[in-house]
Amino acid sequence: MVFLHLSDLHLGKRMNGYSLIEDQRFFLFDVVLKECEKRGVRLILIAGDVYDVASPSAEATTLFSDFLDALSRANIQAILIPGNHDSAERLHYASSFLKREGIHVIATLEEAMHPIEIEGVSFYGIPFSRASDFRDVLGEDCPESLAERFKAFLQRLEIDQGKTNVLLLHAAVSTSESVLLSGSETTYIGTSQILPSSLFGAFDYVALGHIHKSYPPSPNSFYAGSPLKYHVDEAKEKKSLTFVRVEGKEITRESVPFVPLRDLVLEEGTFDELLNRHNGKDFVAVNLLDGVLVKNARDRLQKSSFPYLVSLHNEIRRENGAIPQAQARKNVSLHEDFAQFYETIQGKPLSPLMERIVLEAEEAAKKEEHP
């Protein structure tokens, strides 16, 4: 058996105001379906965060509905769980009908206790759950810590070790007290929210979702990562599809790279250098290396070079801990000073409303200084 492990689709997500629906439709239909057809794959796992928000837009729900319909017509089954961005109730809607079409939605802990048997493999799924969800199942003896709640719940599963067992899980899992978030940065997110990978030793493969980078937190578990780059920290990453082959108790993975409709790339250089470059296809994050502020840099680069500019960062040189020309800024108006500061931090100019608010604040300050 070979299945495709997906997670963190975040359908309906917008990147700095740009809709990603067409990018996501391209991924689902022109990448996923075509690769599954080419490889004869008949099962897809989606480990949570199908949608970007609990109340997704009509275009996001339509896209997912179209995808599920295409899976049914292609005779491809799917097993999915809600993540922390999803509404379990919304995903659970019409689940009985979907099950007859080979689409299995595991949206409650009660459902999580009963495996789905496909070609001799037992598939379990634990949806993203809160303390109240665990209390409904575990009763008054529900432990306080997340790890202990999972341990108590897992002890209730009647796992047949003679079979191959696969778990879908949307959580932060690690062998240490840290997990990899966007990009390659290791960030502490609070040990109480991190599940030790040792909890899931009874499973032959744990199909993880929640972290957007692809990596194995333990020998028997793997984060498929988000299919598209949703944050500038991910600009240098290479996204791929994760195909998992099951042969008895032997599990092997294959990462298959793909070309997205629009990539997220990083462009670095001085302002003049970037003015002479052009990328009208991809989302672009810019890192300016001039060392000083460049007036209206974002607008000018967006008009001349990068129409899908999503982020701009200024590398400001500091001398003895101060920004250059700090003394000269004493003669700059409050409005100009704040506008430059805002563009440095946010990578975009003040909106008309913010312009008006700052100007009003400047006038009020003048009146207090010279009543």
Side-chain angles (χ1 to χ4, degrees):
M1 163 190 273
V2 177
F3 61 80
L4 173 61
H5 171 192
L6 297 175
S7 72
D8 298 273
L9 302 179
H10 288 277
L11 301 181
K13 186 175 181 63
R14 302 180 72 87
M15 186 182 296
N16 285 50
Y18 297 110
S19 172
L20 298 178
I21 282 291
E22 289 308 310
D23 303 77
Q24 293 169 334
R25 180 174 290 276
F26 178 87
F27 170 74
L28 292 176
F29 286 86
D30 291 73
V31 176
V32 170
L33 284 177
K34 288 185 178 179
E35 283 292 335
C36 285
E37 180 182 3
K38 184 170 71 174
R39 295 166 180 272
V41 173
R42 290 291 174 261
L43 176 63
I44 295 176
L45 309 186
I46 306 178
D49 281 357
V50 172
Y51 295 113
D52 190 51
V53 293
S55 299
S57 64
E59 59 180 2
T61 55
T62 298
L63 172 56
F64 193 53
S65 176
D66 291 345
F67 178 61
L68 295 182
D69 183 55
L71 291 183
S72 177
R73 285 187 278 108
N75 195 30
I76 298 175
Q77 296 194 70
I79 304 174
L80 61 100
I81 59 172
N84 60 302
H85 280 246
D86 295 312
S87 162
E89 292 78 12
R90 283 179 181 271
L91 282 182
H92 202 243
Y93 176 74
S95 59
S96 297
F97 169 76
L98 291 172
K99 186 176 181 179
R100 292 198 296 270
E101 297 297 316
I103 310 298
H104 308 272
V105 182
I106 305 173
T108 68
L109 290 175
E110 288 81 3
E111 292 172 334
M113 300 180 73
H114 308 288
I116 297 165
E117 303 286 341
I118 300 177
E119 295 184 23
V121 179
S122 297
F123 290 91
Y124 292 83
I126 301 180
F128 180 82
S129 304
R130 293 170 174 80
S132 58
D133 301 314
F134 279 100
R135 277 194 291 270
D136 289 342
V137 174
L138 301 176
E140 295 299 321
D141 295 329
C142 181
E144 288 297 319
S145 77
L146 183 64
E148 288 300 318
R149 287 198 294 267
F150 264 89
K151 182 179 179 179
F153 177 76
L154 289 167
Q155 287 174 345
R156 297 198 174 199
L157 303 184
E158 297 180 359
I159 302 173
D160 185 350
Q161 295 298 326
K163 293 184 177 181
T164 302
N165 298 289
V166 174
L167 173 67
L168 284 79
L169 179 66
H170 192 88
V173 174
S174 180
T175 55
S176 63
E177 295 183 347
S178 64
V179 295
L180 292 174
L181 299 180
S182 293
S184 58
E185 181 183 5
T186 302
T187 306
Y188 288 82
I189 63 171
T191 57
S192 64
Q193 297 303 311
I194 298 177
L195 297 173
S197 58
S198 57
L199 282 175
F200 310 103
F203 297 96
D204 298 285
Y205 182 79
V206 183
L208 291 168
H210 189 46
I211 306 301
H212 287 194
K213 181 180 176 63
S214 298
Y215 77 103
S218 69
N220 70 325
S221 63
F222 191 75
Y223 279 107
S226 61
L228 302 179
K229 300 174 183 178
Y230 291 134
H231 192 279
V232 294
D233 286 351
E234 302 172 56
K236 294 183 179 180
E237 289 185 17
K238 299 295 183 183
K239 296 293 185 178
S240 60
L241 296 178
T242 302
F243 289 96
V244 181
R245 180 177 295 277
V246 180
E247 296 177 312
K249 289 284 189 177
E250 185 176 345
I251 309 291
T252 55
R253 291 191 322 271
E254 180 185 6
S255 295
V256 178
F258 64 90
V259 179
L261 182 64
R262 290 179 290 187
D263 201 354
L264 171 61
V265 299
L266 177 65
E267 292 281 357
E268 293 185 307
T270 65
F271 180 76
D272 289 338
E273 289 172 343
L274 294 176
L275 277 179
N276 293 315
R277 299 180 196 172
H278 183 76
N279 186 336
K281 173 182 177 291
D282 299 316
F283 296 109
V284 176
V286 164
N287 190 19
L288 281 181
L289 303 180
D290 294 81
V292 295
L293 290 175
V294 178
K295 189 174 182 180
N296 297 328
R298 183 187 181 94
D299 285 348
R300 292 162 67 186
L301 286 173
Q302 193 162 25
K303 289 176 181 177
S304 67
S305 304
F306 313 120
Y308 295 109
L309 179 61
V310 296
S311 171
L312 184 145
H313 175 71
N314 283 285
E315 291 283 349
I316 304 297
R317 290 195 303 267
R318 294 177 180 271
E319 298 170 1
N320 299 322
I323 294 177
Q325 303 173 343
Q327 293 300 318
R329 290 174 63 180
K330 290 182 178 180
N331 299 320
V332 174
S333 69
L334 171 64
H335 165 251
E336 293 173 318
D337 198 21
F338 183 79
Q340 290 178 358
F341 171 77
Y342 182 87
E343 186 164 353
T344 299
I345 300 301
Q346 297 294 334
K348 59 184 178 181
L350 295 173
S351 67
L353 175 61
M354 294 184 70
E355 287 266 9
R356 181 166 60 81
I357 293 173
V358 175
L359 286 171
E360 289 175 355
E362 185 175 37
E363 287 300 316
K366 287 179 180 178
K367 287 181 181 178
E368 286 188 6
E369 189 174 346
H370 304 288

